[in-house]
Amino acid sequence: MSTMQDVAKKAGVSKATVSRVLSGKGYVSEATRQQVFAAIEAAGYRPNLLARNLATSKSQCIGMVVTNTLYSGSYFSEILSQAAKKVEEIGRQLILVDGKHSAQQEREAIEFLLDLRCDAIILYPRYLTIDEMDEIIEQTTQPIVVVNRRLRKHPSHAVFCDHKKSAYNATLALIERGHRHIAFITGSLDSPTALERLNGYKQAIGHANLPVEPQRIIEGKWTPACGVNAITSLLERRVPFSAVIASNDDMAIGALKQLTRAGISVPQQVSLLGFDDIPVAPFLLPALSSVKDPVTDMIHEVINRLISMLDGGNMLPQKALISGLVLRESVANAPDTER
Amino acid sequence: MSTMQDVAKKAGVSKATVSRVLSGKGYVSEATRQQVFAAIEAAGYRPNLLARNLATSKSQCIGMVVTNTLYSGSYFSEILSQAAKKVEEIGRQLILVDGKHSAQQEREAIEFLLDLRCDAIILYPRYLTIDEMDEIIEQTTQPIVVVNRRLRKHPSHAVFCDHKKSAYNATLALIERGHRHIAFITGSLDSPTALERLNGYKQAIGHANLPVEPQRIIEGKWTPACGVNAITSLLERRVPFSAVIASNDDMAIGALKQLTRAGISVPQQVSLLGFDDIPVAPFLLPALSSVKDPVTDMIHEVINRLISMLDGGNMLPQKALISGLVLRESVANAPDTER
DNA sequence: TTGTACGCGTTATCAG
DNA sequence: CTGATAACGCGTACAA
């Protein structure tokens, strides 16, 4: 790889001048400017981001850390998709790193992004506690926004939604439709979200003076297979139910699969309800759309928070100044012969 | 952030010694070793990856580039999930960057990863052509493996599966079950995969001496909403069909949703078939499991190729030498008071 | 066993 | 307008 020094030599100028041309900062005569561009193309030069970021402590990119146990699943992919699009809109790169399987590894992922000098970090936590995250936010100068958790000390760094209320409303809506035997498939019970949803369900059942029956509550772990198993379990134990609420859409899909296999049609004979407001969500009863989780809105809010913390201003305009782009523009204007 | 220099001063040694302690290379007396560790903890020191990677041209991480238009969708998330797990097994970080919306941007994403000095790159392309990728592979020293494309010049850098054959087999299986009116929902027709699957379908229909009827072929774009629209279109136009093949599971899910809404039960009244071999896939007829796409196997193969190109050897053992980990081990051994 | 000094590729601060 | 030169934080021959 050719360096800035090579380009400088070819153009008969100094490194500093090349740097000025690339960054657009400082004055450079049009003549030398052209020479430099020529040299850049001749050398096939590409700026080295590592060196640049090391020198500037900036990187024009936004990091996101998520545990890979959440990577499968449509909820995550929707979040990632929305985040990437929003980040693209502000002219940056979204880079996702793996939080793996422990609080320690989530920490490492964060530090990795910090080392990369990411402008900001989106944290979709799984193992870190609220307190640990509050502490990390305090110790870090870069903006960090946490998704799906309620932070104690730094509420402005947290974006979440009211899972308990969603579950409460969903359950209530089914009750109002006359359902008396509503089964519930939980998420992983080590997840706050799963607990909130379970509690919302229990509360609604209780408020309706219906019994909370343990046999109708099946523990799942978010995956479609758990939905399959849950239905199998209900049927095998001959537990009566006229409706099923799954704590997420993936399990709802699994449940649907198994219900279909068993010859039970949905929603004619059984109402099935998933939670996530994502394109996959096939089973939300139309009337219940108000119970959906606003994933899209949530992630947009995350990015907006991030932007506001990004000491504003330098959003898109800077784009034209990024050396890589300047470089490519000039290449683009060159005759197309080689393509 | 405290630097290596700070640590060196605190420990009363030189930077070089600290570096040796951290890297595990070279001889250091146990005494100074302990002093250095003490200084590291006292300073709350963390090595700067940017600087290290700049100096060594290595990074202990593996990059992956995928267009964000593919981020939603369970197929992608399954691939990402599998890749992350495999990469974790070899003690590295998987980092995902956005290929955005053009060949140029896919290039940039690759160069970004190259700049980061990623050990290897997994490319799930959408806009780059075969020839362009062959060229990139030639110009790059880092290992690059391309998923889901047949490379002309560098077949060993490509991992893919036979989509046409899968579609052919799926269609044939339905025909053998007596279906004569098989509808087909395509993927985005700018995608090679979508075309292969469509061709497989057409060929099977042709071989069975059935007419390939355009009215039964609906163009989709991979999303669940397209599945919904496809069924709506078929029903509105009163096109008869007893089976539907969707070119991916997401569209199959959308189709199922709409069939259910229309009061048509699956699979009793209509057979529905998705392609992907992912946990979400609820609708593969059991007997057709041979037509599934081996996503998991494919991505595992990708990582295996990568490893073999990674001038072997330095897989896990190096883990213990990574400074960050050494650092943390000593922290872990310290009393727990502050947690 | 330890320290010195230079290189990695940029940016940024000064003079000129 | 342009060119030295010092950071940026770390790795590493080469000396000591």
Side-chain angles (χ1 to χ4, degrees), chain A residues 299-339:
Chain A
I299 197 66
H300 286 192
E301 172 64 16
V302 168
I303 309 289
N304 290 339
R305 293 270 180 98
L306 238 42
I307 294 177
S308 73
M309 301 168 98
L310 237 40
D311 43 68
N314 59 348
M315 296 291 86
L316 270 179
Q318 210 170 1
K319 195 174 183 180
L321 302 181
I322 298 172
S323 60
L325 289 180
V326 172
L327 193 59
R328 259 166 251 123
E329 267 169 29
S330 68
V331 170
N333 292 338
D336 244 14
T337 49
E338 311 250 26
R339 303 295 164 92

Side-chain angles (χ1 to χ4, degrees), chain A residues 77 81, chain B residues 66-73 75-77 124-126 222:
Chain A
S77 58
S81 169
Chain B
V66 184
T67 312
N68 72 41
T69 52
L70 265 40
Y71 280 4
S72 52
Y75 190 78
F76 158 74
S77 59
Y124 195 116
R126 166 98 191 206
W222 301 124

Side-chain angles (χ1 to χ4, degrees), chain A residues 46 48 50 68 71 77 88 92-93 96 98 100-101 104 108 111 115 117 256 260 266 328, chain B residues 46 48 50 68 71 77 88 92-93 96 98 100-101 104 108 111 115 117 256 260 266 328:
Chain A
R46 292 237 71 217
N48 179 321
L50 277 188
N68 71 42
Y71 280 6
S77 58
E88 185 181 353
R92 284 181 165 73
Q93 247 294 8
L96 174 77
D98 190 351
K100 302 187 179 172
H101 304 297
Q104 183 54 47
E108 285 170 38
E111 308 217 11
D115 279 344
R117 295 294 180 271
L256 176 70
T260 301
V266 177
R328 259 166 251 123
Chain B
R46 295 238 67 215
N48 180 321
L50 276 188
N68 72 41
Y71 280 4
S77 59
E88 185 181 353
R92 284 181 164 74
Q93 247 295 6
L96 173 76
D98 189 353
K100 302 188 179 170
H101 304 296
Q104 183 54 47
E108 284 171 38
E111 308 216 12
D115 279 343
R117 296 295 181 270
L256 175 70
T260 301
V266 175
R328 259 166 253 123

Side-chain angles (χ1 to χ4, degrees), chain B residues 10-60:
Chain B
K10 265 200 173 65
V13 296
S14 73
K15 278 194 314 180
T17 303
V18 177
S19 177
R20 282 190 205 98
V21 172
L22 255 26
S23 70
K25 299 204 164 208
Y27 298 95
V28 184
S29 76
E30 192 52 33
T32 55
R33 193 185 164 77
Q34 293 307 327
Q35 288 175 23
V36 170
F37 274 130
I40 283 175
E41 288 188 37
Y45 168 76
R46 295 238 67 215
N48 180 321
L49 288 186
L50 276 188
R52 170 181 296 172
N53 296 349
L54 177 60
T56 60
S57 274
K58 290 190 180 66
S59 71
Q60 294 292 320

